[in-house]
Amino acid sequence: MDWTELETMISAQVGDKFVVDDRRALGGGCINQAYHLTGSGQEYFVKINQASMIDMFEAEYEGLDAMYQSHSIRVPRPLLTGTIGSSAFVVMEYIPLQGSGDARAMGTLLAQMHGTLAEQFGWHRDNTIGATPQVNDWSASWVEFWRQQRIGQQTKLAAAKGIGRKAVHVFEQLAAHVDDFFSDYSPQPSLLHGDLWGGNASYDAKGEPVIFDPACYYGDREADLAMTELFSGFNSGFYAAYNEAWPLDAGYKTRKLLYNQYHILNHYNLFGGGYGSQAVHMAEQLLSTCR
Ligand code: ADP
């Protein structure tokens, strides 16, 4: 990575000379190398990968920007994305993070972000969920969106990875039955974080909530809530405050399994192993509630 070139690009973007005094590699990321840059009275958080990953960083930049523009929950303000030689990068505001803070505020502010609505479900571009491509073509129908662009896409990838015909059949059955879960519930297209597990939510130095590393699109807000429950990490204050701000429908209890099945199938596509049979089991559980 040509750090001098990055200094020049950051300087041009902020309209003030930026020279790095200190560059620290940070751990904790799943996919990219992360750095904390300090200098000229500024601090930045930079993620770096191969140049071929530029689309992923552009989508992250735009996702952070969409959440930032919602004026709700705190997110790192994105500054710049691009390539230098063989490296792709995204530069954003550096926020010192800590493990605990105002969980209730996280619930209230997430509900506020979900109040940012679009006309349709989807997004203006595709992005990635983990490293998996995530398709976000605009759709007037949430059922069709989930059927084709969520279950359908992950099923195609799982088939190519060799999950087997029986599993593919179960996923196709689930896709055919998606509308059963929406007989008396019509979600609105809310701005979603899209990858809201505990590792992507934290608190700033004042204890105010911060979310980052998104896979944004406009969809049913229950999908974000479901993912917070998938690997835990969010406490009862968070859920109580969310429900006070914007109560969840009773059917959420069933639909959260539908929404998390997507992430478990994605985990199969990323990591293989037991996630495949877990995704099948979840689909069978859901199908057992259908007519
Ligand atoms: P990856 O895309 O590789 O998964 P993340 O975006 O999750 O990387 O970032 C890795 C870690 O760096 C996070 O777990 C978090 O602790 C920290 N982090 C993320 N964004 C910021 C930021 N803007 N400022 C400071 N620390 C951050």
Side-chain angles (χ1 to χ4, degrees), residues 26-32 34 45 47 60 76 92-97 199-200 212-213:
L26 303 171
C30 300
I31 300 172
N32 308 293
F45 181 77
K47 292 209 279 191
E60 176 166 357
M92 66 191 79
E93 174 187 8
Y94 177 82
I95 303 178
L97 299 171
N200 287 342
F212 46 88
D213 202 14

Side-chain angles (χ1 to χ4, degrees), residues 179-219:
D179 42 356
D180 288 29
F181 303 97
F182 296 88
S183 51
D184 55 3
Y185 172 71
S186 303
Q188 290 180 278
S190 288
L191 177 62
L192 304 185
H193 176 283
D195 193 8
L196 198 53
W197 68 292
N200 287 342
S202 191
Y203 298 92
D204 67 15
K206 288 186 191 150
E208 295 298 322
V210 184
I211 57 177
F212 46 88
D213 202 14
C216 290
Y217 63 102
Y218 287 89

Side-chain angles (χ1 to χ4, degrees), residues 6-289:
L6 186 64
E7 281 177 344
T8 306
M9 290 172 87
I10 293 176
S11 302
Q13 184 70 13
V14 296
D16 208 359
K17 192 156 176 59
F18 175 67
V19 180
V20 176
D21 293 332
D22 189 41
R23 182 179 77 231
R24 264 162 223 265
L26 303 171
C30 300
I31 300 172
N32 308 293
Q33 284 165 265
Y35 294 90
H36 175 196
L37 305 185
T38 313
S40 310
Q42 304 295 323
E43 288 184 82
Y44 297 108
F45 181 77
V46 183
K47 292 209 279 191
I48 293 179
N49 209 313
Q50 313 172 49
S52 59
M53 305 296 266
I54 183 62
D55 282 356
M56 183 184 71
F57 284 149
E58 282 178 359
E60 176 166 357
Y61 179 100
E62 289 177 29
L64 287 172
D65 194 47
M67 295 194 296
Y68 186 82
Q69 300 297 340
S70 77
H71 302 292
S72 52
I73 193 160
R74 187 170 187 195
V75 300
R77 185 175 191 175
L79 182 78
L80 186 63
T81 183
T83 55
I84 298 175
S86 60
S87 303
F89 65 86
V90 59
V91 182
M92 66 191 79
E93 174 187 8
Y94 177 82
I95 303 178
L97 299 171
Q98 55 173 8
S100 61
D102 190 346
R104 280 191 58 87
M106 191 177 288
T108 308
L109 292 167
L110 182 67
Q112 203 175 314
M113 187 182 96
H114 286 163
T116 304
L117 302 174
E119 297 280 315
Q120 295 204 327
F121 302 97
W123 208 35
H124 66 282
R125 64 172 298 154
D126 295 345
N127 50 15
T128 49
I129 180 74
T132 308
Q134 177 166 267
V135 181
N136 298 312
D137 293 343
W138 291 112
S139 172
S141 160
W142 176 244
V143 166
E144 283 308 317
F145 182 89
W146 200 262
R147 179 176 283 151
Q148 292 169 19
Q149 304 189 45
R150 292 295 180 264
I151 303 178
Q153 286 294 330
Q154 292 284 349
T155 301
K156 260 192 244 166
L157 295 172
K161 199 180 163 80
I163 198 166
R165 285 216 337 253
K166 257 178 77 180
V168 168
H169 179 69
V170 175
F171 301 152
E172 285 170 352
Q173 289 288 106
L174 179 62
H177 280 276
V178 174
D179 42 356
D180 288 29
F181 303 97
F182 296 88
S183 51
D184 55 3
Y185 172 71
S186 303
Q188 290 180 278
S190 288
L191 177 62
L192 304 185
H193 176 283
D195 193 8
L196 198 53
W197 68 292
N200 287 342
S202 191
Y203 298 92
D204 67 15
K206 288 186 191 150
E208 295 298 322
V210 184
I211 57 177
F212 46 88
D213 202 14
C216 290
Y217 63 102
Y218 287 89
D220 182 1
R221 63 201 178 94
E222 289 182 353
D224 261 357
L225 269 292
M227 192 165 195
T228 65
E229 292 196 57
L230 182 57
F231 302 115
S232 74
F234 295 79
N235 68 24
S236 56
F238 164 80
Y239 295 106
Y242 186 96
N243 262 291
E244 282 163 33
W246 193 355
L248 287 166
D249 182 88
Y252 166 69
K253 285 193 179 62
T254 309
R255 282 185 297 271
K256 75 179 174 192
L257 194 60
L258 176 71
Y259 292 138
N260 284 340
Q261 195 267 349
Y262 169 70
H263 291 293
I264 293 298
L265 187 50
N266 183 44
H267 272 61
Y268 170 75
N269 286 322
L270 289 169
F271 311 118
Y275 290 116
S277 47
Q278 195 183 343
V280 171
H281 179 67
M282 290 167 94
E284 286 171 341
Q285 247 181 295
L286 286 157
L287 284 166
S288 73
T289 67

